[in-house]
Amino acid sequence: MKSYQAMSKEELQVLHTELQKAYEDVKGKGLKLDMSRGKPGAEQLDLSMELLNNIDAKTAAGVDARNYGILDGIPEAKKLMADMIGTTPDRVIVGGNASLNLMYDVIARAMLFGIMGETPWCKLPEVKFLCPVPGYDRHFRITQTMGIQMINIPMTEEGPDMDMVEKLVSEDASIKGIWCVPKFSNPCGVVYSDETVKRMAALKPAAKDFRIFWDNAYVVHYLYEDDQPQILDIISECEKAGNPDMVYEFASTSKVTFPGAGISVFAASPANLAEQKKYMGVQTIGYDKLNMIRHVAFLKDKEHMMAHMMKQAAVMRPKFQAVLDVLERELGETGVGTWTNPKGGYFISYCGMEGCAKRTVALCKEAGVVMTGAGSEFPYGKDPEDRYVRIAPTYPAPAELAQAADLFVLAVKLASVEKLLEA
Ligand code: PLP
């Protein structure tokens, strides 16, 4: 088969007519499917139901968890979460049901009260964040909502473009943070190389209150038993580089057990933890210790957690594979796009011809399949080249997934041919 770019106008016109007809046929089927969010499928959630059977209310030290107390989390939950992210219990606070909330709170405190005696961000004429792109839309929504200016940083296969990060951070004191998803990044599945982590830890920011927002959301979310890339522990790397306070790390069990009903973790230097606890203790008397007990009873330790994650992977792998097969079969020779084949995380990222992503997503929607909005992986919802579409294969049932993937490739083809005919 010829690549689309190599086709003549006449050939493209014939192809367009065929694709248009196929698309009208699919539209007639009245599909109603959702590939928009990285949500676990019901079969994955079923794997954690045993967690709800635990009715023990005493912590290992005999504290009655039904009552108030222990602001920073019960010791056994601290140990579990510290092991999960690869740090030590004295570096963590175990939080509530999800980590996004912790990220929002930490930024809100920096806005209102400032970090370690520096001017509160809301009193500064401008505050900026570096945003590796494509990235996670909800990160960008937090910074946008706070009025923080966002600067796109291109992602490479090793992580964010560190030359650019180093330069900007060292020259501009209004740059106060960078969003990072260091392992199986959302949506590209990138795993930061050791060099990237070391360079990140060794940054020399102009702003004393610059922080790396290290969202380790997919730290144990491997798809394969025999291919599990590891990353360096940013907290100890920052310590080694003489920047012990420069990082805030976050993670949760949202995609280990139940999204929105898991436990979360905030990890940082003792000085950062003390500062956050000062405000946290005003905001809450304590997080849900009963849920911490349930999680420790169910997940037990890192080894059991990893075994549990492999059960999830067994459910997820065929879904990823089904989408990848359709992409390869239908688009492999067309030359109109590329896509990622991640080793973990929740997404496949499709990168198409310039100016085609919005149209592709609109065509999917019109025929009944909701994809993540084109552009949402970029600050302000603006993909400068309109190329990226995030595919979340976990939520639909396998049969539905096949239909959704078939429609997606059809939409890609149609949008690409339309674009080529315009040229
Ligand atoms: N961080 C990233 C990179 C995510 O992809 C997600 C969910 O998709 C979250 C955070 C949300 O985490 P939580 O449920 O702990 O708030």
Side-chain angles (χ1 to χ4, degrees):
M1 190 189 141
K2 257 191 197 170
S3 79
Y4 283 13
Q5 284 91 345
M7 287 185 182
S8 66
K9 269 240 143 72
E10 292 67 36
E11 286 171 315
L12 284 170
Q13 247 136 15
V14 172
L15 182 59
H16 184 259
T17 310
E18 279 169 28
L19 292 170
Q20 191 67 45
K21 177 168 182 329
Y23 178 71
E24 292 306 324
D25 289 349
V26 179
K27 240 164 84 174
K29 286 189 190 162
L31 298 179
K32 222 174 170 322
L33 303 170
D34 191 343
M35 285 222 286
S36 67
R37 303 294 330 172
K39 295 197 282 191
E43 208 184 325
Q44 282 174 264
L45 300 173
D46 288 343
L47 294 168
S48 297
M49 285 306 284
E50 192 194 315
L51 179 144
L52 301 176
N53 296 338
N54 181 60
I55 51 162
D56 194 359
K58 284 233 178 348
T59 71
V63 175
D64 187 346
R66 294 171 304 179
N67 222 323
Y68 283 137
I70 319 187
L71 178 63
D72 54 1
I74 64 174
E76 54 269 45
K78 280 185 167 181
K79 164 97 175 86
L80 180 71
M81 298 309 275
D83 285 348
M84 176 171 116
I85 61 174
T87 185
T88 48
D90 57 334
R91 295 285 186 277
V92 307
I93 292 172
V94 180
N97 69 322
S99 62
L100 196 70
N101 189 246
L102 292 173
M103 298 175 219
Y104 181 96
D105 283 345
V106 166
I107 295 187
R109 289 175 197 133
M111 294 294 294
L112 283 171
F113 309 116
I115 294 177
M116 293 190 178
E118 297 297 311
T119 309
W121 294 355
C122 71
K123 297 214 168 118
L124 296 172
E126 55 180 9
V127 174
K128 300 178 197 141
F129 256 56
L130 303 185
C131 299
V133 290
Y136 178 41
D137 54 347
R138 291 185 192 274
H139 286 162
F140 305 151
R141 256 160 77 184
I142 295 179
T143 27
Q144 184 170 0
T145 301
M146 300 284 179
I148 294 172
Q149 281 178 49
M150 295 179 281
I151 301 169
N152 291 1
I153 302 288
M155 279 293 271
T156 72
E157 284 182 8
E158 308 233 317
D161 177 338
M162 287 309 295
D163 291 340
M164 195 168 167
V165 172
E166 284 165 351
K167 184 171 180 332
L168 289 172
V169 156
S170 63
E171 285 174 356
D172 185 349
S174 68
I175 296 176
K176 301 294 189 188
I178 179 169
W179 286 116
C180 293
V181 182
K183 199 164 177 180
F184 307 132
S185 69
N186 175 352
C188 291
V190 170
V191 179
Y192 287 18
S193 68
D194 290 356
E195 194 198 331
T196 299
V197 179
K198 282 183 187 290
R199 285 177 74 177
M200 199 66 86
L203 285 174
K204 294 188 178 45
K208 279 197 203 139
D209 49 352
F210 171 86
R211 292 292 182 273
I212 301 166
F213 287 71
W214 198 253
D215 180 0
N216 220 340
Y218 298 107
V219 58
V220 290
H221 303 58
Y222 304 103
L223 279 169
Y224 304 95
E225 195 136 12
D226 56 357
D227 196 354
Q228 304 197 338
Q230 304 295 318
I231 54 166
L232 292 174
D233 168 35
I234 186 75
I235 295 179
S236 48
E237 289 304 321
C238 281
E239 280 167 19
K240 279 190 240 165
N243 286 322
D245 299 329
M246 199 172 62
V247 63
Y248 295 147
E249 181 168 2
F250 306 87
S252 77
T253 63
S254 281
K255 283 156 194 166
V256 177
T257 56
F258 301 128
I263 57 175
S264 59
V265 61
F266 172 70
S269 69
N272 278 325
L273 292 184
E275 179 173 65
Q276 294 302 321
K277 264 202 279 190
K278 193 174 75 185
Y279 299 115
M280 213 175 239
V282 178
Q283 197 178 14
T284 179
I285 306 173
Y287 294 106
D288 181 349
K289 294 187 297 299
L290 292 170
N291 204 25
M292 294 181 206
I293 290 187
R294 281 194 289 266
H295 274 77
V296 175
F298 176 64
L299 295 168
K300 295 185 180 64
D301 52 28
K302 175 89 184 276
E303 198 186 330
H304 283 85
M305 183 189 279
M306 294 320 300
H308 176 70
M309 293 312 285
M310 280 302 107
K311 289 187 199 160
Q312 302 233 23
V315 179
M316 293 163 72
R317 264 192 317 266
K319 293 188 177 183
F320 274 75
Q321 200 53 55
V323 173
L324 290 168
D325 288 348
V326 173
L327 289 169
E328 185 55 47
R329 189 186 67 226
E330 296 297 324
L331 301 178
E333 291 172 7
T334 60
V336 296
T338 57
W339 51 90
T340 56
N341 184 353
K343 295 179 177 166
Y346 263 65
F347 305 101
I348 293 168
S349 180
Y350 173 79
C351 178
M353 279 171 49
E354 196 168 337
C356 287
K358 275 205 168 71
R359 176 68 178 145
T360 301
V361 169
L363 284 165
C364 286
K365 188 167 177 197
E366 214 182 304
V369 173
V370 183
M371 307 292 297
T372 313
S376 62
E377 302 100 275
F378 288 77
Y380 310 106
K382 280 193 208 123
D383 173 352
E385 296 181 321
D386 188 27
R387 299 178 74 155
Y388 287 92
V389 182
R390 188 179 81 167
I391 304 173
T394 51
Y395 188 62
E400 292 180 335
L401 189 64
Q403 286 180 310
D406 284 343
L407 173 62
F408 175 72
V409 290
L410 187 53
V412 164
K413 289 180 184 176
L414 201 46
S416 310
V417 172
E418 283 172 3
K419 186 54 77 195
L420 288 165
L421 281 171
E422 267 172 29

